[in-house]
């Protein structure tokens, strides 16, 4: 399974996720990638892709009656829990939506006209604004019964930040932002900054668009612990924002481009989830599939690779400094480390491998050739011999030998146990 995941990450790093399997495993000198055939056989990879499941099939139907995400719920919850425990967020976080592309059958597939992929599975995400690390996620499972959910945006934000402590700032767009949400976050000592839809009844009419307002002008409205600002980016238009973090009407900028600090703060912190989405699509592991749990699994693998990269750079800030393709280099090294143990195991145990595959293994792991040469230098090392327990007239030959006395022994007079070199040491 490590080798399977490593290959998926490698395919994403070299943009090979859409290439056919027969091309990826081709031995043609032009198309050949040594790490692919060295890690897994083509049939084994296809078997895992076909049979991979994430739950108990016998109890699935019962669980699906109360949870639409039952086929992958356990894996999803474990992954999200690890994301929360592995990183302490910085001061500001962003809540937004992601769309996992999928056009097959799914009980909660959505259509989003504003997204490039249009059809897919919607996921709410909470990301750190400074590093774009994904802290929390939640899958949108559609309507509960036949009634649409009221206050969905408020409920999603409260669910996303439920594990956080005090003192964080949350940035949202106009789907989530409301006065009620701001009050509930203030009760937990969390601040909110986000855009408001102009149809909210509590927005003063003076803050709405009007022809008499000058371009780039601003108007503020203050309450005890909240601030509203209306900014005019162009004639007969206005952007209204709500903030519980700002308490003044400060305006900053230069060269006739002055904007309220609330606007500047929102522009700086609003794109964390979008950045994560862009990074995931750049080196995605998504492959064609008709099963929606696999589509979600591929997305989790993309987010896991991004989070791992962020943690690695945080712990090793000087690694590959100056390189513009650091993340690609990290993914290639990550895939290489995941497939390493399986390559060593296949090289040492599988005697039926084709010579080209062995050459590919040595190309990926040059130390294998050194180990083989060291074994060949051992004097009088026979490849096979007669079983020392069977009667001599049986003349039963075997390639296996006892790990204690080093004498050859057949399968009938031995325990068939496979132990890798690492465990044996």
């Amino acid at each position: 399974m490590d080798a399977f995941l490593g290959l998926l990450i490698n395919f994403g790093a070299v943009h090979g996720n859409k290439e056919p399997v027969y091309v990826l495993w081709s031995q043609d000198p032009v198309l050949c990638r040594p790490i692919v055939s060295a890690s897994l056989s083509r049939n084994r990879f296809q078997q895992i892709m076909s049979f991979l499941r994430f739950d108990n099939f016998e109890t699935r139907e019962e669980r699906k009656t109360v949870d639409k995400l039952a086929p992958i719920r356990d894996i999803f919850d474990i992954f999200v829990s690890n994301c929360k425990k592995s990183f302490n967020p910085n001061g500001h976080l962003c809540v937004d939506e992601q769309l996992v592309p999928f056009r097959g059958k799914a009980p909660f597939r959505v259509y989003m006209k504003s997204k490039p992929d249009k059809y897919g599975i919607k996921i709410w995400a909470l990301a750190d604004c400074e590093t774009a690390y994904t802290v929390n996620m939640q899958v949108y499972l559609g309507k509960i019964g036949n009634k649409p959910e009221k206050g969905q945006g408020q409920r999603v934000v409260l669910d996303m930040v439920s594990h956080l402590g005090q003192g964080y700032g949350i940035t949202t767009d106009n789907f989530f932002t409301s006065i009620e949400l701001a009050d509930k976050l203030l009760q937990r000592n969390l601040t909110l900054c986000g855009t408001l839809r102009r149809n909210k009844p509590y927005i003063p009419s003076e803050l709405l668009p009007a022809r008499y307002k000058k371009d780039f002008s601003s108007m503020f409205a203050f309450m005890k612990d909240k601030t509203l600002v209306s900014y005019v980016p162009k004639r007969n238009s206005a952007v209204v924002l709500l903030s519980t973090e700002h308490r003044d009407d400060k305006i900053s900028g230069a060269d006739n481009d002055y904007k309220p600090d609330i606007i500047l703060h929102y522009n700086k912190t609003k794109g964390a989830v979008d950045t994560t989405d862009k990074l995931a699509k750049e080196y995605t592991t998504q492959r064609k599939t008709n099963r929606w749990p696999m589509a979600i699994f591929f997305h989790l693998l993309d987010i896991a690779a991004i989070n791992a990269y962020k943690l690695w750079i945080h712990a090793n800030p000087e690694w590959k400094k100056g390189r513009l393709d650091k993340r690609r280099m990290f993914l290639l090294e990550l895939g290489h480390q995941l497939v390493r143990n399986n390559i060593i195991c296949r090289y040492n145990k599988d005697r039926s491998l084709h010579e080209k595959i062995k050459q590919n293994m040595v190309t990926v792991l040059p130390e294998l050739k050194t180990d083989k040469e060291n074994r060949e230098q051992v004097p009088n090392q026979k490849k096979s011999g007669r079983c020392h327990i069977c009667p001599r007239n049986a003349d039963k030959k075997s390639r296996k030998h006892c790990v204690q006395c080093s004498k050859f022994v057949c399968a009938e007079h031995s325990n068939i146990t496979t132990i890798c070199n690492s465990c044996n040491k």
Side-chain angles (χ1 to χ4, degrees):
M1 287 305 300
D2 284 347
F4 174 75
L5 298 179
L7 283 181
L8 290 177
I9 292 174
N10 184 276
F11 295 159
V14 297
H15 300 289
N17 57 307
K18 291 186 178 180
E19 293 185 12
V21 171
Y22 71 88
V23 174
L24 294 171
W25 266 264
S26 173
Q27 295 299 326
D28 187 281
V30 179
L31 303 176
C32 179
R33 293 173 181 159
I35 193 172
V36 178
S37 60
S39 304
L40 280 178
S41 68
R42 184 182 65 183
N43 291 343
R44 183 59 171 157
F45 180 84
Q46 290 178 316
Q47 286 176 350
I48 296 176
M49 282 287 294
S50 300
F51 302 130
L52 186 61
R53 300 295 185 272
F54 311 98
D55 69 326
N56 185 356
F57 178 77
E58 296 178 355
T59 62
R60 181 184 300 170
E61 293 301 322
E62 180 182 353
R63 288 180 285 108
K64 283 173 65 175
T65 58
V66 294
D67 183 12
K68 295 180 181 178
L69 200 66
I72 198 174
R73 170 64 70 182
D74 293 340
I75 296 295
F76 189 88
D77 289 347
I78 291 172
F79 175 76
V80 171
S81 176
N82 287 337
C83 288
K84 295 176 184 177
K85 293 186 294 185
S86 300
F87 181 75
N88 290 325
N90 295 286
H92 293 90
L93 301 101
C94 174
V95 177
D96 208 344
E97 61 191 13
Q98 296 176 329
L99 186 70
V100 179
F102 183 72
R103 286 181 171 266
K105 292 183 179 180
F108 39 82
R109 190 190 67 173
V110 299
Y111 170 77
M112 300 181 69
K113 185 178 180 181
S114 60
K115 299 292 185 180
D117 297 306
K118 309 300 181 185
Y119 291 92
I121 299 170
K122 184 161 65 173
I123 294 180
W124 313 112
L126 175 71
D128 180 67
C129 295
E130 184 174 333
T131 62
Y133 178 97
T134 300
V135 181
N136 198 358
M137 292 193 300
Q138 186 180 97
V139 179
Y140 170 66
L141 300 178
K143 296 180 180 179
I144 301 175
N146 295 324
K147 297 180 180 179
E149 181 181 0
K150 292 184 179 180
Q152 185 183 73
Q154 175 180 313
R155 193 267 307 164
V156 168
V157 174
L158 294 177
D159 287 349
M160 291 286 101
V161 303
S162 60
H163 70 285
L164 296 177
Q166 299 180 356
Y168 290 99
I170 309 301
T171 302
T172 59
D173 62 17
N174 57 20
F175 176 79
F176 305 96
T177 311
S178 66
I179 292 288
E180 296 82 1
L181 175 61
D183 291 335
K184 291 188 177 182
L185 290 178
L186 284 173
Q187 293 174 4
R188 299 189 51 197
N189 287 335
L190 299 173
T191 61
L192 176 68
C193 180
T195 55
L196 282 171
R197 291 180 176 175
R198 290 176 293 180
N199 61 356
K200 299 293 184 181
Y202 43 76
I203 299 178
S205 58
E206 292 81 2
L207 301 184
L208 297 176
R211 290 183 177 275
Y212 65 85
K213 292 185 178 181
K214 297 181 180 179
D215 293 353
F216 313 116
S217 62
S218 304
M219 184 177 293
F220 294 83
F222 298 94
M223 293 178 64
K224 178 181 178 181
D225 49 13
K226 304 178 189 68
T227 302
L228 286 176
V229 61
S230 175
Y231 175 71
V232 181
K234 60 182 180 180
R235 185 174 178 83
N236 201 27
S237 177
V239 179
V240 182
L241 281 88
L242 167 67
S243 176
T244 59
E245 184 174 346
H246 302 79
R247 296 286 193 274
D248 52 35
D249 58 352
K250 186 176 179 182
I251 296 178
S252 303
D255 299 332
N256 297 324
D257 186 19
Y258 294 97
K259 293 180 181 178
D261 281 5
I262 300 177
I263 297 284
L264 296 176
H265 172 77
Y266 175 77
N267 291 340
K268 183 179 178 181
T269 58
K270 70 178 181 179
V273 176
D274 292 336
T275 300
T276 302
D277 208 17
K278 181 180 179 181
L279 291 175
K281 290 183 179 180
E282 179 66 22
Y283 298 121
T284 182
T285 60
Q286 290 277 354
R287 295 189 65 82
K288 184 178 180 181
T289 178
N290 293 325
R291 295 187 287 128
W292 63 262
M294 285 297 294
I296 294 179
F297 174 72
F298 289 139
H299 183 70
L300 294 183
L301 197 57
D302 291 338
I303 299 298
I306 294 172
N307 285 356
Y309 171 72
K310 298 298 180 180
L311 294 176
W312 174 258
I313 293 299
H314 181 76
N316 304 274
E318 298 298 322
W319 184 77
K320 301 290 184 182
K321 192 172 183 179
R323 291 289 297 264
L324 299 179
D325 60 343
K326 285 197 298 184
R327 182 165 165 258
R328 181 173 176 271
M329 298 295 294
F330 173 82
L331 293 176
L332 290 174
E333 181 62 24
L334 175 61
H336 185 274
Q337 293 296 329
L338 285 171
V339 304
R340 178 185 178 87
N341 289 340
N342 199 57
I343 292 177
I344 295 174
C345 183
R346 292 183 71 197
Y347 188 84
N348 293 331
K349 300 297 181 181
D350 195 344
R351 298 180 180 275
S352 62
L353 290 174
H354 195 276
E355 192 61 33
K356 288 186 177 180
I357 297 179
K358 290 185 177 180
Q359 293 175 3
N360 292 339
M361 290 178 172
V362 174
T363 302
V364 178
L365 299 177
E367 61 268 25
L368 291 176
K369 186 176 181 180
T370 304
D371 294 341
K372 184 179 179 181
E373 291 175 351
N374 292 336
R375 290 197 302 269
E376 290 176 349
Q377 291 175 2
V378 178
N380 300 326
Q381 185 179 11
K382 297 181 180 180
K383 293 184 178 180
S384 63
R386 185 177 62 83
C387 175
H388 72 285
I389 300 178
C390 291
R392 191 172 187 84
N393 57 4
D395 196 23
K396 199 170 185 179
K397 299 292 179 62
S398 175
R399 289 178 176 268
K400 299 180 180 180
H401 58 81
C402 177
V403 296
Q404 299 293 336
C405 63
S406 299
K407 295 180 180 180
F408 289 101
V409 63
C410 66
E412 182 180 354
H413 296 107
S414 63
N415 295 323
I416 302 176
T417 304
T418 303
I419 303 176
C420 69
N421 292 342
S422 300
C423 295
N424 193 28
K425 291 179 182 178

